Amino acid sequence: MELPGLAFAIWLSFCFCVPVDGYPNGKVRQACAGMVPCHGTAPQLPLEHTITLNVTEFKPGDSIEVNLSGPDFEGFFIQARDAEHLDGPAVGSFTLADRRLSQLLTCSPTKNSAVSHTSKTKKRQIKVYWLAPGDAPNHIQFLATVVKKYKTFWVKIPGPIVSQPNALCSETEAIPTSQPISHLSNPFNASGCGSTKFCLRNPSNCDAESVSCFFLSFQWEGSSVLIEMSGPSEGYIAFALSHDQWMGGDDAYLCVNEDHHLRISTAYLKGRSPPVLDSENALEDVSWRLADGVLQCSFRRSILLPAYNGRFNLDADYYIFLADGEASGDELIYKHRHQPLVTNDMYKITDLSQDIGGSRSPPLIKVHGVLMFVVWITTVSIGVVIARFFKPVWSHSFLFGKEMWFQVHRVLMLTTVMLTSISFVLTFIYRGGWSQQAGYHSYLGCTLMALTIIQLLMAGFRPSRHAPRRWWFNWFHWSTSTTARILAVVTMFLGIDLPALDLPDPWDTYTMIGFVAWHVGIDVLLEVHSYCLVRKVELVENDRVQILQSLTSAEAEGLTFKQVMLTIYVCGNTGFLAAFLVAINQI
């Protein structure tokens, strides 16, 4: 039995429905501290919007006009903070110039200490007034978060600093190191890797001077280690030493781009929370270079640092993490955009005989991806085509006592169940349980696994061909199969961009679109071919009888065409599979 086109459309629309939440009414008190929208993506760089003031000095009780302007935006969030403590609470209070576009919020003990939007109406400029409190700090800086659309936003856009009369000018403090900062004159190189220094490179064996190479080296020199770190990033690059392969409880070192100057700092990672940079660190001989979008940082660290909490001794074995991501001022470090590189084994960085590479995709996740691509690009797709279009022409050919089409279909589907189950279990082994990090991919994957098991159970208890309930079985078997195939495509689209796999973008999306178009095209072509054969008629004028050719004989006439199309289809699917397998092998 076949479901009509309307039923298929209902199935398709149901499977593609995904809810999206936001704060179009501007009630964003949850973001008071960090001023970061919970939109699931990293903020944009560079900045496009500016904050301007009508004064440069103020006294307690003064009213200051604050203007936020730039290209069209939907949402915004404005605060004033102590310029010397930007991670502190909001200071002072605001009044509105246009209540249709802006509203007051309370983000500190002081009422009306922040301003946000009232709707998603596009705006180019917002004007508000800030009232200086009686206990205002000497220096005030205005900050704004701007949302252009849901996944396009900027966080803590810095505005001008206004000061009270006769207050000492506040300048950005130098990085607290034991020696002055110097600038590197040349990029790092890999000479000595594996002989005089321990090196970690991504991609493996990449040229340290290349703008696409992430490079980390450790050179043991007496009681200290000289560390060099470089890589392409607009925000930060970092490495961490860990006792396991999971983030949390790690000794981290960051090279952060702060307005075209690099800050080198230490941090201790607690769980999966963003790192908090240490106010003091024990790094010496600090130097850096910023060129062609590549951050390069060099520093020296003593092997033993008993006086500093969170610093590991460098004469022990550790897993090494290497990551990069975006950052903004005020020591705000965002989650890495890509899966960090994590070494497969523990290493002692004072061992100079190592020159290792690594993959940013964990081996278990790679195997998971490979198995899922094998299943849903080859075994499922080919098995469905054989059952749908080769049943009439292979009904009289037998294999091990059963019709050939059925045996081939059954082997492919059993392979599907086995490989899908293995792949499903691998993700739980990797994560050690359920994970929220994969978003909808996790939920759709579980649904897909359930549908696969349901198909297996239905096939095991299917009624005989002429049984009255066979009609119900055909409908349920078809509908479950169609739903599973649609969900599989959606799940793969979501999975190829997850950080743990992160195939090359946009190549991965275009290749998936190509596979879907290829599959649908072949399916439509075979459907049209079958329809044309079935419509053949033979008119017998003498008896005035219209005899419709039988489905079996009509399909038999097209056997050669179907076999050619099946060969082309298998070759095409194999090509798509090979492309994905090569991409997975290279990450």
Side-chain angles (χ1 to χ4, degrees):
M1 296 294 296
E2 296 183 21
L3 281 177
L6 176 61
F8 181 80
I10 293 174
W11 244 272
L12 187 63
S13 61
F14 171 78
C15 292
F16 277 91
C17 279
V18 178
V20 176
D21 296 325
Y23 295 95
N25 61 0
K27 304 293 186 181
V28 291
R29 292 187 181 90
Q30 295 89 336
C32 278
M35 300 184 70
V36 181
C38 300
H39 291 183
T41 57
Q44 302 294 306
L45 291 173
L47 305 178
E48 295 184 357
H49 303 79
T50 57
I51 301 173
T52 57
L53 310 176
N54 64 335
V55 297
T56 58
E57 292 185 351
F58 75 96
K59 293 180 295 184
D62 284 354
S63 176
I64 298 177
E65 180 181 306
V66 183
N67 287 279
L68 172 64
S69 59
D72 287 348
F73 56 94
E74 296 179 353
F76 66 91
F77 191 41
I78 302 174
Q79 290 184 15
R81 294 190 179 184
D82 184 345
E84 297 180 356
H85 302 283
L86 289 175
D87 57 344
V91 175
S93 60
F94 288 89
T95 59
L96 304 178
D98 189 343
R99 294 183 178 275
R100 296 172 301 174
L101 300 177
S102 55
Q103 62 182 324
L104 299 172
L105 297 177
T106 298
C107 277
S108 68
T110 304
K111 188 177 181 181
N112 302 332
S113 54
V115 185
S116 71
H117 54 282
T118 57
S119 68
K120 294 175 63 176
T121 304
K122 293 188 181 297
K123 319 156 187 65
R124 284 183 174 270
Q125 183 175 4
I126 290 294
K127 180 168 68 174
V128 295
Y129 297 95
W130 179 74
L131 302 178
D135 58 348
N138 289 330
H139 310 284
I140 292 292
Q141 184 168 21
F142 292 88
L143 305 174
T145 291
V146 174
V147 178
K148 183 177 182 179
K149 53 185 179 180
Y150 187 78
K151 291 192 175 182
T152 304
F153 57 88
W154 295 262
V155 172
K156 286 189 176 180
I157 299 171
I161 296 177
V162 291
S163 303
Q164 296 195 47
N166 302 320
L168 294 175
C169 295
S170 174
E171 298 181 358
T172 304
E173 295 182 359
I175 300 174
T177 59
S178 59
Q179 294 187 10
I181 299 173
S182 63
H183 295 274
L184 298 167
S185 58
N186 296 303
F188 301 138
N189 61 73
S191 61
C193 287
S195 58
T196 61
K197 57 185 179 183
F198 180 111
C199 295
L200 173 62
R201 294 188 264 180
N202 178 246
S204 298
N205 299 317
C206 63
D207 183 358
E209 299 184 27
S210 170
V211 296
S212 61
C213 181
F214 288 90
F215 177 76
L216 175 64
S217 71
F218 304 90
Q219 187 168 354
W220 180 21
E221 298 177 350
S223 62
S224 66
V225 174
L226 177 64
I227 300 172
E228 297 176 337
M229 172 171 53
S230 66
S233 178
E234 294 181 349
Y236 71 91
I237 55 176
F239 79 91
L241 305 177
S242 179
H243 297 290
D244 54 37
Q245 292 182 297
W246 300 102
M247 180 178 173
D250 309 321
D251 181 10
Y253 301 81
L254 298 94
C255 179
V256 185
N257 185 354
E258 295 184 345
D259 193 22
H260 304 292
H261 289 76
L262 301 188
R263 173 176 180 176
I264 304 172
S265 182
T266 57
Y268 184 75
L269 304 182
K270 296 181 179 179
R272 302 185 68 87
S273 302
V276 178
L277 304 185
D278 295 335
S279 58
E280 296 183 4
N281 59 51
L283 306 182
E284 303 175 348
D285 297 342
V286 175
S287 57
W288 58 268
R289 181 173 183 261
L290 177 58
D292 301 323
V294 176
L295 311 185
Q296 300 171 24
C297 293
S298 173
F299 55 91
R300 185 181 305 277
R301 213 216 83 168
S302 296
I303 294 177
L304 304 178
L305 288 174
Y308 290 85
N309 293 329
R311 304 284 75 78
F312 295 172
N313 294 337
L314 300 185
D315 56 356
D317 293 339
Y318 302 104
Y319 290 101
I320 304 174
F321 289 57
L322 186 59
D324 67 289
E326 295 183 352
S328 68
D330 316 324
E331 305 180 358
L332 188 58
I333 305 298
Y334 297 105
K335 181 181 178 181
H336 39 77
R337 291 181 297 174
H338 310 288
Q339 178 79 6
L341 183 151
V342 183
T343 57
N344 294 327
D345 300 302
M346 301 180 77
Y347 293 94
K348 182 183 296 184
I349 61 177
T350 52
D351 181 359
L352 304 181
S353 62
Q354 297 290 342
D355 183 11
I356 61 175
S359 171
R360 291 178 179 264
S361 182
L364 287 179
I365 295 301
K366 281 189 172 184
V367 176
H368 169 78
V370 166
L371 292 180
M372 284 304 189
F373 281 127
V374 169
V375 167
W376 297 99
I377 289 182
T378 56
T379 61
V380 171
S381 301
I382 296 172
V384 169
V385 167
I386 288 175
R388 173 67 184 88
F389 299 105
F390 283 80
K391 184 188 301 185
V393 297
W394 282 359
S395 294
H396 302 292
S397 299
F398 293 88
L399 185 65
F400 300 113
K402 292 285 186 178
E403 296 171 340
M404 181 181 294
W405 75 267
F406 177 75
Q407 292 286 50
V408 175
H409 175 76
R410 180 162 63 178
V411 169
L412 290 174
M413 293 302 105
L414 288 175
T415 302
T416 294
V417 175
M418 179 182 66
L419 295 183
T420 301
S421 300
I422 295 173
S423 180
F424 181 76
V425 171
L426 288 178
T427 59
F428 286 91
I429 295 176
Y430 168 69
R431 293 301 310 180
W434 180 259
S435 171
Q436 298 289 344
Q437 302 298 317
Y440 289 109
H441 180 80
S442 298
Y443 298 102
L444 292 180
C446 291
T447 304
L448 190 60
M449 185 71 248
L451 292 175
T452 302
I453 298 300
I454 291 172
Q455 280 288 80
L456 178 66
L457 294 176
M458 282 197 299
F461 292 96
R462 70 186 183 280
S464 61
R465 180 173 300 178
H466 302 292
R469 293 177 297 173
R470 182 70 178 215
W471 183 85
W472 288 101
F473 168 78
N474 290 339
W475 271 75
F476 280 115
H477 191 60
W478 182 92
S479 60
T480 306
S481 171
T482 303
T483 302
R485 290 162 63 200
I486 294 173
L487 284 182
V489 171
V490 178
T491 306
M492 286 192 292
F493 266 110
L494 295 174
I496 56 180
D497 286 327
L498 287 176
L501 193 60
D502 197 21
L503 295 179
D505 190 50
W507 173 90
D508 54 355
T509 302
Y510 292 149
T511 305
M512 275 300 302
I513 293 174
F515 165 69
V516 173
W518 166 259
H519 176 78
V520 172
I522 294 294
D523 200 62
V524 169
L525 187 60
L526 289 172
E527 286 284 3
V528 171
H529 176 259
S530 298
Y531 177 80
C532 291
L533 289 177
V534 172
R535 293 294 298 170
K536 283 187 176 181
V537 296
E538 180 182 353
L539 296 177
V540 182
E541 290 295 335
N542 293 336
D543 298 328
R544 294 186 177 278
V545 176
Q546 185 177 18
I547 304 175
L548 181 66
Q549 289 186 336
S550 70
L551 179 63
T552 301
S553 60
E555 290 287 354
E557 290 184 19
L559 175 59
T560 301
F561 176 80
K562 288 181 179 294
Q563 289 177 334
V564 171
M565 290 305 301
L566 178 62
T567 302
I568 295 174
Y569 183 64
V570 171
C571 291
N573 284 22
T574 304
F576 281 107
L577 176 62
F580 279 113
L581 296 185
V582 170
I584 291 176
N585 183 60
Q586 291 177 346
I587 58 176

